[in-house]
Amino acid sequence: MSEQDTTEGAGARKLPAPLAAHPSVRAVLARRAERPAGPPPVIDADWLRALCLEAGADDAAAVSLDHPDLAGERDHVLAALPGTRSLISLMVRMNRDNTRSPARSVANQEFHQTDEQVNAAARTVARALQDAGHHALNPSAGFPQEMENFPGRIWVVAHKTVAVAAGLGVMGLHRNVIHPRFGSFVLLATVLVDAPVSAYGQALDYNPCVDCKLCVAACPVGAIGKDGAFDPLACTTHNYREFMSGFTDWVQTVADSEDAADFRERVTDPENASMWQSLAFKPSYKSGYCLAVCPAGEDVLGPYLDDRKHYLDTVLRPLRDKTETLYVLPGSAAQRYAERRFPHKPTKEVTGGWRPPAKRGPDQDPDPGSTAPREE
């Protein structure tokens, strides 16, 4: 096959004659001749920030992949987008009163709507960077995640870690990022790009947390300790009841039931309706109370400073007083805490969806691959 020397524009090379004559090939080569320099080697930070805000973000900052706090993210990021040089953290704020509502339908819709907004903003930024000649990728801000890796790491990039490294906030006791202005009422996304940025965000030199410990008081399963301790299993078992692990537990209950009557004894009508709603619409969080009560952030702090008693009565108390089922692992610290601190909230023992031990005889060792908690 004969070849034709395609000398139009930068990056020209010898191509087979039929390929060189193709209209699309000729168009690409013509554009290269008009723009021989290619994309800018360094992304202008001011241009990038304006792009993020125009796309719908309320705040944004970039951070180098070489930042020491991102060492644990590096391999995962490069696997997602080889050649990544920078990460762009985007933040979209939530409506506070919606998030604080004891009506879970209101609070959950706020989470999902904001999640859609921050995903859309990140996608718009990635598209603009791509159009400028860069390689860019925006992993999901929430679900779906990489479930083939479960129960290991199921996320592409840790958005909170990136946001803190980029200087958008500080991680609070409740394990949510606290923005200096918007407080805890934010959701995050990250864009990966294959170029450095002219200026990176700087870590905050103070913590927006006001050390009120309201997140500790609001958590119905005691997942947050006053000393900074955190019980992720207690949080996951209750708050994410209707996500993957809770759904697995619900299916196991169906499989273990002798008949329909037995199943109805194990699972109430409201629980079935709530699970159906999560499957038909979007998964529902059982509790975002730690975030809802947080007064940190310059836009949020005023009412707490003006009248702390009124703040507690109108923000914290409705969530603490609400009658609701709390999902706990049998014999766990979360179960003991919930029964002691919230006697009006019935507890329900569940497996949390963790794989139970394999059935075994009295002389057999436990299944070494089981991830289920076992009584000692």
Side-chain angles (χ1 to χ4, degrees):
M1 179 180 294
S2 63
E3 293 186 339
Q4 180 173 331
D5 185 4
T6 57
T7 58
E8 301 96 326
R13 55 176 298 181
K14 287 188 175 182
L15 298 173
L19 181 60
H22 191 281
S24 296
V25 175
R26 298 185 68 84
V28 169
L29 295 176
R31 284 201 299 270
R32 286 181 177 175
E34 296 172 0
R35 296 186 305 171
V42 178
I43 299 171
D44 181 76
D46 292 336
W47 173 84
L48 179 61
R49 178 172 172 78
L51 169 64
C52 293
L53 299 183
E54 185 178 353
D58 290 298
D59 201 357
V63 59
S64 171
L65 182 58
D66 293 329
H67 192 289
D69 291 350
L70 299 182
E73 296 297 306
R74 184 177 179 83
D75 290 345
H76 302 287
V77 167
L78 292 176
L81 183 70
T84 296
R85 299 285 299 280
S86 303
L87 297 91
I88 307 159
S89 180
L90 287 81
M91 177 176 286
V92 172
R93 57 179 173 158
M94 304 171 70
N95 291 335
R96 296 191 294 274
D97 289 331
N98 285 351
T99 308
R100 290 168 172 164
S101 174
R104 295 313 304 159
S105 61
V106 176
N108 279 310
Q109 178 171 254
E110 182 62 30
F111 275 101
H112 292 309
Q113 289 286 327
T114 310
D115 190 71
E116 291 177 3
Q117 290 179 18
V118 75
N119 268 321
R123 182 177 182 274
T124 298
V125 171
R127 171 70 64 84
L129 290 168
Q130 172 186 289
D131 290 346
H134 300 287
H135 291 289
L137 177 145
N138 62 296
S140 172
F143 289 85
Q145 299 281 9
E146 311 307 299
M147 286 304 181
E148 67 272 16
N149 298 327
F150 184 84
R153 177 177 168 129
I154 60 172
W155 52 91
V156 174
V157 61
H159 302 300
K160 296 179 183 179
T161 301
V162 174
V164 173
L168 288 187
V170 174
M171 195 77 77
L173 278 178
H174 50 15
R175 299 320 190 263
N176 294 296
V177 174
I178 305 177
H179 185 269
R181 178 180 170 190
F182 309 132
S184 298
F185 296 89
V186 295
L187 290 184
L188 304 165
T190 307
V191 175
L192 319 181
V193 64
D194 66 346
V197 179
S198 63
Y200 290 119
Q202 299 298 315
L204 290 181
D205 58 4
Y206 74 100
N207 190 342
C209 174
V210 295
D211 201 31
C212 65
K213 301 293 194 300
L214 291 185
C215 57
V216 178
C219 181
V221 290
I224 308 168
K226 291 182 180 180
D227 59 355
F230 185 70
D231 184 348
L233 193 56
C235 177
T236 301
T237 301
H238 176 65
N239 187 31
Y240 296 92
R241 170 64 184 167
E242 293 177 9
F243 287 74
M244 197 218 66
S245 58
F247 171 74
T248 301
D249 181 68
W250 181 78
V251 171
Q252 288 173 184
T253 303
V254 174
D256 290 343
S257 299
E258 295 181 2
D259 52 29
D262 183 35
F263 175 72
R264 292 281 189 172
E265 287 290 327
R266 296 170 182 239
V267 184
T268 67
D269 288 345
E271 286 178 311
N272 279 318
S274 185
M275 182 63 73
W276 168 83
Q277 186 179 49
S278 286
L279 294 173
F281 177 55
K282 291 179 179 178
S284 295
Y285 302 91
K286 289 297 183 185
S287 169
Y289 300 169
C290 59
L291 186 156
V293 301
C294 180
E298 293 173 13
D299 284 1
V300 188
L301 190 55
Y304 178 76
L305 298 178
D306 294 339
D307 190 337
R308 279 179 287 176
K309 182 180 185 305
H310 181 73
Y311 187 93
L312 297 180
D313 288 342
T314 58
V315 177
L316 175 65
R317 193 175 303 282
L319 301 175
R320 287 177 58 89
D321 290 349
K322 180 180 178 180
T323 300
E324 60 188 326
T325 300
L326 305 179
Y327 296 93
V328 295
L329 297 175
S332 63
Q335 182 178 34
R336 294 189 295 272
Y337 181 91
E339 291 175 347
R340 183 178 75 254
R341 297 295 297 272
F342 298 97
H344 61 289
K345 297 178 186 279
T347 58
K348 183 167 186 175
E349 296 181 352
V350 296
T351 71
W354 310 112
R355 188 179 299 278
K359 293 182 178 179
R360 59 188 187 276
D363 298 328
Q364 291 178 294
D365 291 331
D367 175 10
S370 171
T371 59
R374 284 193 284 270
E375 295 182 1
E376 298 296 329

